[in-house]
Amino acid sequence: MKKIIPLLFIVIFTSCISAVLNQALEKVGVFDDKAELKMISTNDKNLIFIGMHHIGRKEFYDDMARKVDSLQRQGYVVLYELIKKSNGIDSVSNDIYKKKFRKIMGIANTKYYDTINNLIAGRFKYKGNYKLTNQPSYNNLKVDMENAKNIDVELVDLIKAFELKHGEIDLDDCDQETKSDSPVYDCNRIDNDRAELFKNEFVFTYRNKNIANEIHNSTEKNILVIYGKNHFDGLRAELDALDKNWK
């Protein structure tokens, strides 16, 4: 009986973690089977926003590809999300900034979802009802890459802006010795408060301002933005700050 009770506790505890994870995934749209279009316009621009998530169902990405293809045929030009590697610094410096980003986020530079072991971000075991996959390449989402434009920021600029405001991110021996492309990361990340600041002020606000400026300065009339789903409200606020005519 004594052995059964701890085992029962483990089963219940594991089930609770799984349920919380599934609720979180559902909230951010990972289980969606359709890509939602949000449409706003101003005097000289029509903008359609498709909210992306880096893990999802094949049905969702197939639906997105159909909509992207159709909208491009109607004359929409794609502006998309993808944090850029800097071409202005050497490969050693680029590697350091990748390690700093990893130290903030606390995860290895692997795919968001390990489809073999059903692990999300290398940590969380997924036990839901849907088969999940990683976000396909933009080519596989039918994006016309010859005419599309990456409107994201450079990783180096993102880290430098954070360090300027909140202090240097120090890499310890573990960080230095663990290759930036290692599938495993067991080093200590920065403290939770600084990590949360990075997420709120830079992953969201800093990038939203950049996206809004790119859209505001674009000469395209019909714009299709493919960007993280949770960026829409912040992006809309930044656009309104630049031009009150968005509706």
mmCIF file of all heavy atoms in Angstrom, residues 111-151:
data_model
loop_
_atom_site.group_PDB
_atom_site.id
_atom_site.type_symbol
_atom_site.label_atom_id
_atom_site.label_comp_id
_atom_site.label_asym_id
_atom_site.label_seq_id
_atom_site.Cartn_x
_atom_site.Cartn_y
_atom_site.Cartn_z
ATOM 1 N N LYS A 111 14.609 22.699 -32.589
ATOM 2 C CA LYS A 111 13.255 22.974 -33.052
ATOM 3 C C LYS A 111 12.334 23.098 -31.847
ATOM 4 O O LYS A 111 12.576 22.527 -30.795
ATOM 5 C CB LYS A 111 12.777 21.857 -33.979
ATOM 6 C CG LYS A 111 13.478 21.844 -35.344
ATOM 7 C CD LYS A 111 12.872 20.811 -36.264
ATOM 8 C CE LYS A 111 13.496 20.891 -37.655
ATOM 9 N NZ LYS A 111 12.929 19.902 -38.581
ATOM 10 N N TYR A 112 11.260 23.844 -32.040
ATOM 11 C CA TYR A 112 10.341 24.072 -30.937
ATOM 12 C C TYR A 112 9.712 22.764 -30.456
ATOM 13 O O TYR A 112 9.428 22.605 -29.289
ATOM 14 C CB TYR A 112 9.233 25.041 -31.368
ATOM 15 C CG TYR A 112 9.710 26.459 -31.535
ATOM 16 C CD1 TYR A 112 10.198 26.924 -32.757
ATOM 17 C CD2 TYR A 112 9.684 27.346 -30.461
ATOM 18 C CE1 TYR A 112 10.642 28.238 -32.892
ATOM 19 C CE2 TYR A 112 10.123 28.659 -30.588
ATOM 20 C CZ TYR A 112 10.606 29.094 -31.818
ATOM 21 O OH TYR A 112 11.062 30.381 -31.951
ATOM 22 N N TYR A 113 9.521 21.823 -31.372
ATOM 23 C CA TYR A 113 8.842 20.585 -31.008
ATOM 24 C C TYR A 113 9.628 19.382 -31.502
ATOM 25 O O TYR A 113 9.923 19.259 -32.691
ATOM 26 C CB TYR A 113 7.431 20.576 -31.608
ATOM 27 C CG TYR A 113 6.610 19.356 -31.243
ATOM 28 C CD1 TYR A 113 6.420 18.990 -29.914
ATOM 29 C CD2 TYR A 113 6.022 18.565 -32.230
ATOM 30 C CE1 TYR A 113 5.665 17.885 -29.570
ATOM 31 C CE2 TYR A 113 5.258 17.455 -31.899
ATOM 32 C CZ TYR A 113 5.088 17.122 -30.557
ATOM 33 O OH TYR A 113 4.343 16.008 -30.227
ATOM 34 N N ASP A 114 9.996 18.520 -30.576
ATOM 35 C CA ASP A 114 10.674 17.261 -30.899
ATOM 36 C C ASP A 114 9.587 16.236 -31.226
ATOM 37 O O ASP A 114 8.942 15.696 -30.326
ATOM 38 C CB ASP A 114 11.503 16.816 -29.693
ATOM 39 C CG ASP A 114 12.217 15.488 -29.915
ATOM 40 O OD1 ASP A 114 11.880 14.781 -30.890
ATOM 41 O OD2 ASP A 114 13.099 15.162 -29.110
ATOM 42 N N THR A 115 9.371 15.998 -32.517
ATOM 43 C CA THR A 115 8.268 15.134 -32.948
ATOM 44 C C THR A 115 8.510 13.666 -32.636
ATOM 45 O O THR A 115 7.565 12.868 -32.656
ATOM 46 C CB THR A 115 8.027 15.297 -34.463
ATOM 47 O OG1 THR A 115 9.254 15.036 -35.161
ATOM 48 C CG2 THR A 115 7.551 16.710 -34.791
ATOM 49 N N ILE A 116 9.748 13.296 -32.346
ATOM 50 C CA ILE A 116 10.053 11.895 -32.011
ATOM 51 C C ILE A 116 9.715 11.610 -30.556
ATOM 52 O O ILE A 116 9.065 10.612 -30.227
ATOM 53 C CB ILE A 116 11.530 11.582 -32.305
ATOM 54 C CG1 ILE A 116 11.812 11.723 -33.803
ATOM 55 C CG2 ILE A 116 11.883 10.170 -31.820
ATOM 56 C CD1 ILE A 116 13.266 11.556 -34.176
ATOM 57 N N ASN A 117 10.148 12.508 -29.673
ATOM 58 C CA ASN A 117 9.935 12.306 -28.235
ATOM 59 C C ASN A 117 8.755 13.102 -27.678
ATOM 60 O O ASN A 117 8.487 13.054 -26.481
ATOM 61 C CB ASN A 117 11.209 12.686 -27.468
ATOM 62 C CG ASN A 117 12.392 11.833 -27.872
ATOM 63 O OD1 ASN A 117 12.350 10.619 -27.762
ATOM 64 N ND2 ASN A 117 13.450 12.476 -28.354
ATOM 65 N N ASN A 118 8.074 13.855 -28.570
ATOM 66 C CA ASN A 118 6.923 14.673 -28.160
ATOM 67 C C ASN A 118 7.266 15.664 -27.058
ATOM 68 O O ASN A 118 6.498 15.889 -26.122
ATOM 69 C CB ASN A 118 5.749 13.788 -27.697
ATOM 70 C CG ASN A 118 5.199 12.930 -28.820
ATOM 71 O OD1 ASN A 118 5.230 13.335 -29.978
ATOM 72 N ND2 ASN A 118 4.723 11.755 -28.496
ATOM 73 N N LEU A 119 8.439 16.299 -27.211
ATOM 74 C CA LEU A 119 8.881 17.289 -26.241
ATOM 75 C C LEU A 119 8.779 18.691 -26.832
ATOM 76 O O LEU A 119 9.225 18.919 -27.955
ATOM 77 C CB LEU A 119 10.323 17.023 -25.808
ATOM 78 C CG LEU A 119 10.573 15.827 -24.888
ATOM 79 C CD1 LEU A 119 12.061 15.680 -24.643
ATOM 80 C CD2 LEU A 119 9.827 15.984 -23.570
ATOM 81 N N ILE A 120 8.208 19.610 -26.066
ATOM 82 C CA ILE A 120 8.121 21.007 -26.465
ATOM 83 C C ILE A 120 9.231 21.775 -25.771
ATOM 84 O O ILE A 120 9.392 21.692 -24.551
ATOM 85 C CB ILE A 120 6.743 21.595 -26.111
ATOM 86 C CG1 ILE A 120 5.650 20.881 -26.916
ATOM 87 C CG2 ILE A 120 6.703 23.101 -26.369
ATOM 88 C CD1 ILE A 120 4.253 21.273 -26.548
ATOM 89 N N ALA A 121 10.011 22.521 -26.562
ATOM 90 C CA ALA A 121 11.149 23.308 -26.063
ATOM 91 C C ALA A 121 12.150 22.445 -25.298
ATOM 92 O O ALA A 121 12.845 22.916 -24.409
ATOM 93 C CB ALA A 121 10.661 24.449 -25.173
ATOM 94 N N GLY A 122 12.198 21.167 -25.647
ATOM 95 C CA GLY A 122 13.158 20.267 -25.023
ATOM 96 C C GLY A 122 12.831 19.874 -23.601
ATOM 97 O O GLY A 122 13.582 19.148 -22.952
ATOM 98 N N ARG A 123 11.664 20.309 -23.086
ATOM 99 C CA ARG A 123 11.358 20.078 -21.672
ATOM 100 C C ARG A 123 10.012 19.431 -21.396
ATOM 101 O O ARG A 123 9.886 18.551 -20.551
ATOM 102 C CB ARG A 123 11.339 21.413 -20.912
ATOM 103 C CG ARG A 123 12.602 22.200 -20.909
ATOM 104 C CD ARG A 123 12.384 23.378 -19.969
ATOM 105 N NE ARG A 123 13.271 24.477 -20.248
ATOM 106 C CZ ARG A 123 13.177 25.657 -19.666
ATOM 107 N NH1 ARG A 123 12.206 25.874 -18.810
ATOM 108 N NH2 ARG A 123 14.012 26.618 -19.946
ATOM 109 N N PHE A 124 8.983 19.918 -22.094
ATOM 110 C CA PHE A 124 7.612 19.591 -21.698
ATOM 111 C C PHE A 124 7.039 18.475 -22.577
ATOM 112 O O PHE A 124 6.994 18.597 -23.792
ATOM 113 C CB PHE A 124 6.730 20.841 -21.793
ATOM 114 C CG PHE A 124 7.289 22.014 -21.044
ATOM 115 C CD1 PHE A 124 7.834 23.096 -21.720
ATOM 116 C CD2 PHE A 124 7.287 22.034 -19.658
ATOM 117 C CE1 PHE A 124 8.365 24.167 -21.040
ATOM 118 C CE2 PHE A 124 7.819 23.105 -18.961
ATOM 119 C CZ PHE A 124 8.365 24.170 -19.655
ATOM 120 N N LYS A 125 6.597 17.426 -21.938
ATOM 121 C CA LYS A 125 6.049 16.271 -22.651
ATOM 122 C C LYS A 125 4.614 16.551 -23.076
ATOM 123 O O LYS A 125 3.754 16.866 -22.251
ATOM 124 C CB LYS A 125 6.080 15.040 -21.734
ATOM 125 C CG LYS A 125 5.711 13.738 -22.421
ATOM 126 C CD LYS A 125 6.848 13.207 -23.265
ATOM 127 C CE LYS A 125 6.544 11.812 -23.782
ATOM 128 N NZ LYS A 125 7.652 11.282 -24.611
ATOM 129 N N TYR A 126 4.372 16.443 -24.385
ATOM 130 C CA TYR A 126 3.019 16.668 -24.907
ATOM 131 C C TYR A 126 2.269 15.348 -24.990
ATOM 132 O O TYR A 126 2.761 14.365 -25.555
ATOM 133 C CB TYR A 126 3.103 17.315 -26.288
ATOM 134 C CG TYR A 126 1.776 17.341 -27.023
ATOM 135 C CD1 TYR A 126 0.723 18.104 -26.543
ATOM 136 C CD2 TYR A 126 1.583 16.586 -28.178
ATOM 137 C CE1 TYR A 126 -0.499 18.119 -27.198
ATOM 138 C CE2 TYR A 126 0.374 16.604 -28.841
ATOM 139 C CZ TYR A 126 -0.668 17.360 -28.349
ATOM 140 O OH TYR A 126 -1.870 17.370 -29.002
ATOM 141 N N LYS A 127 1.053 15.323 -24.432
ATOM 142 C CA LYS A 127 0.232 14.112 -24.441
ATOM 143 C C LYS A 127 -1.196 14.414 -24.898
ATOM 144 O O LYS A 127 -2.151 13.791 -24.446
ATOM 145 C CB LYS A 127 0.194 13.485 -23.039
ATOM 146 C CG LYS A 127 1.548 13.004 -22.527
ATOM 147 C CD LYS A 127 1.432 12.384 -21.153
ATOM 148 C CE LYS A 127 2.766 11.894 -20.654
ATOM 149 N NZ LYS A 127 2.666 11.277 -19.295
ATOM 150 N N GLY A 128 -1.332 15.381 -25.804
ATOM 151 C CA GLY A 128 -2.659 15.770 -26.268
ATOM 152 C C GLY A 128 -3.206 14.858 -27.342
ATOM 153 O O GLY A 128 -2.584 13.872 -27.745
ATOM 154 N N ASN A 129 -4.389 15.204 -27.837
ATOM 155 C CA ASN A 129 -5.096 14.370 -28.816
ATOM 156 C C ASN A 129 -4.683 14.643 -30.259
ATOM 157 O O ASN A 129 -4.946 13.826 -31.141
ATOM 158 C CB ASN A 129 -6.611 14.600 -28.691
ATOM 159 C CG ASN A 129 -7.144 14.159 -27.340
ATOM 160 O OD1 ASN A 129 -6.690 13.148 -26.798
ATOM 161 N ND2 ASN A 129 -8.093 14.904 -26.796
ATOM 162 N N TYR A 130 -4.049 15.797 -30.516
ATOM 163 C CA TYR A 130 -3.719 16.173 -31.879
ATOM 164 C C TYR A 130 -2.257 15.863 -32.204
ATOM 165 O O TYR A 130 -1.386 15.982 -31.337
ATOM 166 C CB TYR A 130 -3.968 17.668 -32.097
ATOM 167 C CG TYR A 130 -5.396 18.089 -31.881
ATOM 168 C CD1 TYR A 130 -5.748 18.883 -30.789
ATOM 169 C CD2 TYR A 130 -6.407 17.695 -32.749
ATOM 170 C CE1 TYR A 130 -7.056 19.274 -30.577
ATOM 171 C CE2 TYR A 130 -7.722 18.080 -32.544
ATOM 172 C CZ TYR A 130 -8.039 18.869 -31.455
ATOM 173 O OH TYR A 130 -9.341 19.247 -31.253
ATOM 174 N N LYS A 131 -2.033 15.517 -33.440
ATOM 175 C CA LYS A 131 -0.661 15.342 -33.902
ATOM 176 C C LYS A 131 -0.113 16.717 -34.256
ATOM 177 O O LYS A 131 -0.693 17.443 -35.054
ATOM 178 C CB LYS A 131 -0.615 14.427 -35.130
ATOM 179 C CG LYS A 131 0.799 14.134 -35.607
ATOM 180 C CD LYS A 131 0.806 13.159 -36.768
ATOM 181 C CE LYS A 131 2.235 12.879 -37.214
ATOM 182 N NZ LYS A 131 2.280 11.924 -38.356
ATOM 183 N N LEU A 132 1.025 17.079 -33.655
ATOM 184 C CA LEU A 132 1.607 18.402 -33.850
ATOM 185 C C LEU A 132 2.860 18.330 -34.719
ATOM 186 O O LEU A 132 3.502 17.287 -34.829
ATOM 187 C CB LEU A 132 1.946 19.037 -32.506
ATOM 188 C CG LEU A 132 0.794 19.219 -31.517
ATOM 189 C CD1 LEU A 132 1.290 19.883 -30.234
ATOM 190 C CD2 LEU A 132 -0.340 20.027 -32.138
ATOM 191 N N THR A 133 3.201 19.467 -35.286
ATOM 192 C CA THR A 133 4.407 19.561 -36.103
ATOM 193 C C THR A 133 4.997 20.956 -35.934
ATOM 194 O O THR A 133 4.345 21.865 -35.423
ATOM 195 C CB THR A 133 4.079 19.296 -37.589
ATOM 196 O OG1 THR A 133 5.298 19.278 -38.345
ATOM 197 C CG2 THR A 133 3.157 20.361 -38.153
ATOM 198 N N ASN A 134 6.258 21.118 -36.338
ATOM 199 C CA ASN A 134 6.881 22.437 -36.306
ATOM 200 C C ASN A 134 6.390 23.281 -37.469
ATOM 201 O O ASN A 134 5.966 22.771 -38.506
ATOM 202 C CB ASN A 134 8.402 22.299 -36.380
ATOM 203 C CG ASN A 134 9.000 21.788 -35.090
ATOM 204 O OD1 ASN A 134 9.053 22.488 -34.094
ATOM 205 N ND2 ASN A 134 9.436 20.533 -35.098
ATOM 206 N N GLN A 135 6.454 24.592 -37.290
ATOM 207 C CA GLN A 135 6.097 25.529 -38.357
ATOM 208 C C GLN A 135 6.915 25.212 -39.614
ATOM 209 O O GLN A 135 8.132 25.121 -39.556
ATOM 210 C CB GLN A 135 6.406 26.957 -37.904
ATOM 211 C CG GLN A 135 6.240 28.004 -38.992
ATOM 212 C CD GLN A 135 6.756 29.365 -38.558
ATOM 213 O OE1 GLN A 135 6.754 29.682 -37.376
ATOM 214 N NE2 GLN A 135 7.209 30.159 -39.505
ATOM 215 N N PRO A 136 6.253 25.049 -40.755
ATOM 216 C CA PRO A 136 6.986 24.805 -42.007
ATOM 217 C C PRO A 136 7.771 26.047 -42.429
ATOM 218 O O PRO A 136 7.557 27.147 -41.905
ATOM 219 C CB PRO A 136 5.865 24.504 -43.018
ATOM 220 C CG PRO A 136 4.645 24.241 -42.208
ATOM 221 C CD PRO A 136 4.793 25.023 -40.948
ATOM 222 N N SER A 137 8.667 25.873 -43.372
ATOM 223 C CA SER A 137 9.393 27.017 -43.922
ATOM 224 C C SER A 137 8.403 27.917 -44.649
ATOM 225 O O SER A 137 7.305 27.498 -45.042
ATOM 226 C CB SER A 137 10.466 26.541 -44.896
ATOM 227 O OG SER A 137 9.856 25.999 -46.064
ATOM 228 N N TYR A 138 8.789 29.162 -44.862
ATOM 229 C CA TYR A 138 7.908 30.078 -45.579
ATOM 230 C C TYR A 138 7.698 29.629 -47.024
ATOM 231 O O TYR A 138 6.629 29.856 -47.593
ATOM 232 C CB TYR A 138 8.462 31.505 -45.515
ATOM 233 C CG TYR A 138 8.263 32.142 -44.161
ATOM 234 C CD1 TYR A 138 9.339 32.414 -43.321
ATOM 235 C CD2 TYR A 138 6.988 32.453 -43.709
ATOM 236 C CE1 TYR A 138 9.148 32.987 -42.077
ATOM 237 C CE2 TYR A 138 6.783 33.020 -42.462
ATOM 238 C CZ TYR A 138 7.868 33.283 -41.652
ATOM 239 O OH TYR A 138 7.666 33.840 -40.405
ATOM 240 N N ASN A 139 8.693 28.995 -47.600
ATOM 241 C CA ASN A 139 8.510 28.422 -48.944
ATOM 242 C C ASN A 139 7.363 27.422 -48.955
ATOM 243 O O ASN A 139 6.528 27.413 -49.858
ATOM 244 C CB ASN A 139 9.795 27.730 -49.405
ATOM 245 C CG ASN A 139 10.762 28.691 -50.074
ATOM 246 O OD1 ASN A 139 10.344 29.553 -50.837
ATOM 247 N ND2 ASN A 139 12.039 28.561 -49.784
ATOM 248 N N ASN A 140 7.333 26.558 -47.933
ATOM 249 C CA ASN A 140 6.284 25.540 -47.847
ATOM 250 C C ASN A 140 4.929 26.126 -47.466
ATOM 251 O O ASN A 140 3.907 25.448 -47.578
ATOM 252 C CB ASN A 140 6.682 24.447 -46.859
ATOM 253 C CG ASN A 140 7.788 23.561 -47.395
ATOM 254 O OD1 ASN A 140 7.963 23.433 -48.608
ATOM 255 N ND2 ASN A 140 8.567 22.968 -46.503
ATOM 256 N N LEU A 141 4.928 27.378 -47.011
ATOM 257 C CA LEU A 141 3.665 28.073 -46.737
ATOM 258 C C LEU A 141 3.232 28.909 -47.935
ATOM 259 O O LEU A 141 2.361 29.772 -47.825
ATOM 260 C CB LEU A 141 3.814 28.962 -45.499
ATOM 261 C CG LEU A 141 3.928 28.227 -44.159
ATOM 262 C CD1 LEU A 141 4.275 29.199 -43.043
ATOM 263 C CD2 LEU A 141 2.643 27.473 -43.830
ATOM 264 N N LYS A 142 3.861 28.639 -49.076
ATOM 265 C CA LYS A 142 3.508 29.267 -50.364
ATOM 266 C C LYS A 142 3.876 30.748 -50.431
ATOM 267 O O LYS A 142 3.340 31.485 -51.270
ATOM 268 C CB LYS A 142 2.000 29.109 -50.669
ATOM 269 C CG LYS A 142 1.503 27.675 -50.669
ATOM 270 C CD LYS A 142 2.099 26.873 -51.789
ATOM 271 C CE LYS A 142 1.460 25.478 -51.861
ATOM 272 N NZ LYS A 142 2.088 24.645 -52.905
ATOM 273 N N VAL A 143 4.772 31.201 -49.548
ATOM 274 C CA VAL A 143 5.190 32.596 -49.596
ATOM 275 C C VAL A 143 6.124 32.806 -50.790
ATOM 276 O O VAL A 143 7.068 32.038 -51.000
ATOM 277 C CB VAL A 143 5.914 32.999 -48.292
ATOM 278 C CG1 VAL A 143 6.504 34.408 -48.413
ATOM 279 C CG2 VAL A 143 4.959 32.924 -47.110
ATOM 280 N N ASP A 144 5.842 33.830 -51.568
ATOM 281 C CA ASP A 144 6.689 34.202 -52.699
ATOM 282 C C ASP A 144 7.915 34.928 -52.144
ATOM 283 O O ASP A 144 7.897 36.142 -51.936
ATOM 284 C CB ASP A 144 5.904 35.116 -53.653
ATOM 285 C CG ASP A 144 6.749 35.642 -54.805
ATOM 286 O OD1 ASP A 144 7.919 35.223 -54.936
ATOM 287 O OD2 ASP A 144 6.242 36.493 -55.561
ATOM 288 N N MET A 145 8.991 34.163 -51.891
ATOM 289 C CA MET A 145 10.147 34.705 -51.194
ATOM 290 C C MET A 145 10.912 35.749 -52.023
ATOM 291 O O MET A 145 11.665 36.542 -51.465
ATOM 292 C CB MET A 145 11.091 33.576 -50.769
ATOM 293 C CG MET A 145 10.468 32.586 -49.787
ATOM 294 S SD MET A 145 9.834 33.373 -48.280
ATOM 295 C CE MET A 145 11.352 33.845 -47.469
ATOM 296 N N GLU A 146 10.701 35.765 -53.310
ATOM 297 C CA GLU A 146 11.376 36.766 -54.138
ATOM 298 C C GLU A 146 10.805 38.161 -53.902
ATOM 299 O O GLU A 146 11.504 39.169 -54.053
ATOM 300 C CB GLU A 146 11.263 36.399 -55.620
ATOM 301 C CG GLU A 146 12.104 35.194 -56.020
ATOM 302 C CD GLU A 146 12.125 34.980 -57.525
ATOM 303 O OE1 GLU A 146 11.560 35.829 -58.256
ATOM 304 O OE2 GLU A 146 12.689 33.968 -57.961
ATOM 305 N N ASN A 147 9.538 38.219 -53.541
ATOM 306 C CA ASN A 147 8.880 39.508 -53.330
ATOM 307 C C ASN A 147 8.561 39.793 -51.863
ATOM 308 O O ASN A 147 8.234 40.928 -51.509
ATOM 309 C CB ASN A 147 7.593 39.583 -54.154
ATOM 310 C CG ASN A 147 7.871 39.584 -55.652
ATOM 311 O OD1 ASN A 147 8.651 40.401 -56.135
ATOM 312 N ND2 ASN A 147 7.255 38.664 -56.380
ATOM 313 N N ALA A 148 8.651 38.770 -51.026
ATOM 314 C CA ALA A 148 8.361 38.950 -49.601
ATOM 315 C C ALA A 148 9.525 39.667 -48.920
ATOM 316 O O ALA A 148 10.641 39.712 -49.436
ATOM 317 C CB ALA A 148 8.121 37.598 -48.945
ATOM 318 N N LYS A 149 9.249 40.219 -47.719
ATOM 319 C CA LYS A 149 10.289 40.938 -46.984
ATOM 320 C C LYS A 149 10.277 40.535 -45.516
ATOM 321 O O LYS A 149 9.226 40.496 -44.878
ATOM 322 C CB LYS A 149 10.072 42.452 -47.093
ATOM 323 C CG LYS A 149 11.139 43.269 -46.378
ATOM 324 C CD LYS A 149 10.874 44.768 -46.481
ATOM 325 C CE LYS A 149 11.954 45.560 -45.732
ATOM 326 N NZ LYS A 149 11.710 47.021 -45.772
ATOM 327 N N ASN A 150 11.466 40.211 -44.999
ATOM 328 C CA ASN A 150 11.620 39.953 -43.575
ATOM 329 C C ASN A 150 11.650 41.298 -42.845
ATOM 330 O O ASN A 150 12.537 42.120 -43.070
ATOM 331 C CB ASN A 150 12.933 39.188 -43.331
ATOM 332 C CG ASN A 150 13.130 38.825 -41.867
ATOM 333 O OD1 ASN A 150 12.412 39.283 -40.990
ATOM 334 N ND2 ASN A 150 14.127 37.996 -41.602
ATOM 335 N N ILE A 151 10.669 41.522 -41.967
ATOM 336 C CA ILE A 151 10.590 42.806 -41.266
ATOM 337 C C ILE A 151 10.966 42.668 -39.787
ATOM 338 O O ILE A 151 10.658 43.534 -38.976
ATOM 339 C CB ILE A 151 9.180 43.429 -41.388
ATOM 340 C CG1 ILE A 151 8.093 42.453 -40.904
ATOM 341 C CG2 ILE A 151 8.921 43.883 -42.804
ATOM 342 C CD1 ILE A 151 6.736 43.087 -40.761
#
